[in-house]
Amino acid sequence: MIDPECLNNITEVLNGSRKIVINTHTNPDGDAVGSSLALYFMLKKLGHQVDVVIANSIPSFYSWMPDADKIIYFGTNTEQARKLIDEAEVIFCLDYNAIHRSGSLKDSLKKSNAVFILIDHHQEPELDSFNYHIWNTLRSSTSELVFKLFDSMEVVKLIDKDIASCLFTGIMTDTGSFSYSVSNSETFSIVATLIDLGLDAADVHSKVYNSMTESRLRLMGFAINDRLQIFEKLQTAIIALSKQDLLDYNYQIGDTEGIVNLPLAIENIRLSVLITEKKDHIHLSLRSKGSFSVNEFARKYLNGGGHINAAGGKTYTTIQQTIDDIIRILPEFDTQIVY
Ligand SMILES: [Mn+2]
């Protein structure tokens, strides 16, 4: 259950019809989009005026999601996005824990006088930036926390097929189709409830995972075949994709999603790093098995963070320098973390 005092506060804030903006992190994933749209539909049903505002566009394999076409992008619709944030009485921040993770929205958000409500499951949030928070790192996904909020508000009966599909997308993608972060049985009972409320789980899975472009699948093959480096002693796999690599495979936003998980299929590999070269920085995506905390590693050395087994980071050097640094740092980090 949600903390009763927090629930009281949120219920009070939502008393009457409010102008609400929901936003989530830049480069949104399935949980970011799913939790945002699920909350959007529910708050609309409860009589509020609601918009989802995100920094940049969502991957094409989430474009089937109901009302995905109504999401306002700050990058392409800056004026409207600013106006909505300025006028909002309540701003929900989903699936991230520090305002700067909202990307280009951050300055507008910082200026806002709205009540800020955080719903998130990432480690070490900047709680001071939010008036109220529903935050639990033990939950599989923000979508699961949004369900818990609905449950506490006693509005589960209002969940329809659209809302159920959005919530399921978030839970499914943040657990790697129920392969990690699934030690809490409640994750499964929530999914069972969603099925009872109209969810077609197989259909959602297929829409997300069986909707690749040919070039995306070929990019995955190239990444494994030509760009995968194994550092056996460090039990580490690194894939680095240059700007040119991405160009060669007609990269679209979301195309590299999932690639970082693939090397963990190799026995004895405990850490997998995907490095992608961006316009003005090097982007890192990290995954681990067992007790190796990529959150801690990314926070300490890579300007990032996330969860114990999934995190992100950034560097401002070159691909090669980033690889060299990781390889140099790992044995040092290893003495603190047993893996
Ligand atoms: Mn998430």
Side-chain angles (χ1 to χ4, degrees), residues 49-117:
Q49 198 180 312
V50 196
D51 288 279
V52 178
V53 181
I54 313 182
N56 60 347
S57 59
I58 62 172
S60 63
F61 43 91
Y62 299 129
S63 61
W64 60 269
M65 291 175 80
D67 276 13
D69 58 334
K70 300 217 170 69
I71 296 174
I72 312 286
Y73 298 112
F74 194 87
T76 51
N77 215 339
T78 313
E79 221 144 280
Q80 196 191 354
R82 269 209 192 108
K83 189 167 180 274
L84 288 169
I85 292 170
D86 283 351
E87 291 175 356
E89 297 163 274
V90 184
I91 295 181
F92 279 90
C93 300
L94 266 55
D95 202 41
Y96 71 81
N97 57 25
I99 295 289
H100 72 89
R101 292 278 291 117
S102 65
S104 51
L105 273 67
K106 65 174 187 295
D107 293 332
S108 299
L109 291 177
K110 279 178 183 162
K111 271 187 253 159
S112 162
N113 294 316
V115 175
F116 278 73
I117 302 173

Side-chain angles (χ1 to χ4, degrees), residues 229-261:
Q229 300 180 59
I230 300 291
F231 301 88
E232 221 169 295
K233 280 197 186 128
L234 296 169
Q235 297 183 293
T236 294
I238 299 181
I239 295 172
L241 296 170
S242 69
K243 268 190 269 191
Q244 189 58 49
D245 291 339
L246 298 176
L247 220 57
D248 290 347
Y249 285 87
N250 188 28
Y251 170 81
Q252 304 295 312
I253 192 162
D255 278 0
T256 52
E257 210 172 284
I259 291 180
V260 66
N261 295 300

Side-chain angles (χ1 to χ4, degrees), residues 171-185:
I171 297 170
M172 176 186 75
T173 54
D174 257 25
T175 59
S177 298
F178 304 92
S179 62
Y180 47 80
S181 308
V182 283
S183 49
N184 188 340
S185 66

Side-chain angles (χ1 to χ4, degrees), residues 25 29-32 35 94-96 120-122 139-143 170 173-174 307:
H25 56 80
D29 57 15
D31 188 31
S35 59
L94 266 55
D95 202 41
Y96 71 81
D120 183 47
H121 66 133
H122 292 83
R139 290 288 172 179
S140 70
S141 54
T142 298
S143 296
T173 54
D174 257 25
H307 311 284

